[in-house]
Amino acid sequence: MSDLSPEQARLDPYSSLAESTNVTLQEKITGLHTVIQKAKVGMLVTRDVNGNLHSRAMTPTKPLSDTQLNLVFLANNASHKFGDIENDAHVNVSFCDASSTDWASYSGRARVTEDQELINKLWSPILSGYFGDLKDGVHKGDKTDPRVAVIEVVPDEIKYWITNHSSAVRTTEVAYAAATGKATAPGQLRIISKEEVQLSQGL
């Protein structure tokens, strides 16, 4: 089902042409994982108590299953983003692969946990470099450090774009469209709705 109304589709032919509605949910999830894997780093956007939006680069942990849609990050609970999430759990996380222009955008809510079993499962020794050993016998910068917490982003909706062709072919398509007065979309816009997010939990 299209995300656009008939009038929106008429006035925005680029999005109308790009929107892909004939892809299975598992194909959507697999494509999304590929975009995130190639982009590697996302921008987590939160809102502070004054209404200001703040973004910062975050690297999600690898999905624990082929159907996982939630994003999971390990972070320092002494940082400002935790106060922002406590103030307003609504967040956005975006990814962009500059080499292909593929991108993904998560709209959802963040929840925080300090579950040690989950931290143990997700921890990588390289993360110690982001925490540091404070030499107080408690804040050692390892997976038992009380500063280590999990931010899980549960999506309400996900939109992502994947290109169909190489940069040269895309440029040719756009140039032809400009010369003929016809719109073109050199890629696919895929949408994972809230209902599909819920459905994915049963896959």
Side-chain angles (χ1 to χ4, degrees), residues 50-71:
N50 297 313
N52 299 312
L53 297 174
H54 299 279
S55 62
R56 73 284 291 164
M58 300 281 289
T59 302
T61 61
K62 291 182 179 180
L64 296 177
S65 74
D66 292 338
T67 60
Q68 179 179 320
L69 287 175
N70 292 5
L71 291 173

Side-chain angles (χ1 to χ4, degrees), residues 15-158:
S15 295
S16 179
L17 289 169
E19 190 172 345
S20 178
T21 58
N22 60 346
V23 183
T24 68
L25 177 55
Q26 186 56 61
E27 288 174 328
K28 290 181 181 181
I29 297 173
T30 300
L32 175 66
H33 284 178
T34 299
V35 172
I36 294 173
Q37 182 180 19
K38 290 182 177 180
K40 294 184 174 65
V41 177
M43 297 299 292
L44 171 64
V45 181
T46 57
R47 187 187 302 274
D48 69 16
V49 293
N50 297 313
N52 299 312
L53 297 174
H54 299 279
S55 62
R56 73 284 291 164
M58 300 281 289
T59 302
T61 61
K62 291 182 179 180
L64 296 177
S65 74
D66 292 338
T67 60
Q68 179 179 320
L69 287 175
N70 292 5
L71 291 173
V72 180
F73 305 93
L74 288 176
N76 188 331
N77 59 24
S79 60
H80 289 297
K81 54 185 165 284
F82 284 85
D84 290 353
I85 292 170
E86 184 178 0
N87 170 66
D88 186 346
H90 294 86
V91 298
N92 174 268
V93 186
S94 61
F95 299 85
C96 182
D97 176 12
S99 66
S100 65
T101 71
D102 290 356
W103 57 262
S105 177
Y106 273 69
S107 176
R109 302 172 195 235
R111 59 190 183 196
V112 174
T113 178
E114 295 176 357
D115 179 79
Q116 192 60 53
E117 184 176 345
L118 180 58
I119 291 172
N120 292 344
K121 184 181 296 185
L122 301 173
W123 182 260
S124 171
I126 194 67
L127 294 173
S128 294
Y130 294 98
F131 291 88
D133 186 348
L134 302 187
K135 308 298 183 183
D136 60 4
V138 177
H139 304 91
K140 297 180 289 185
D142 61 9
K143 61 185 178 183
T144 66
D145 192 312
R147 293 173 294 170
V148 179
V150 176
I151 299 174
E152 183 177 16
V153 176
V154 182
D156 289 323
E157 182 183 68
I158 305 167

Side-chain angles (χ1 to χ4, degrees), residues 3-18:
D3 191 47
L4 301 172
S5 70
E7 183 64 4
Q8 285 176 315
R10 184 181 74 84
L11 295 174
D12 185 7
Y14 178 90
S15 295
S16 179
L17 289 169

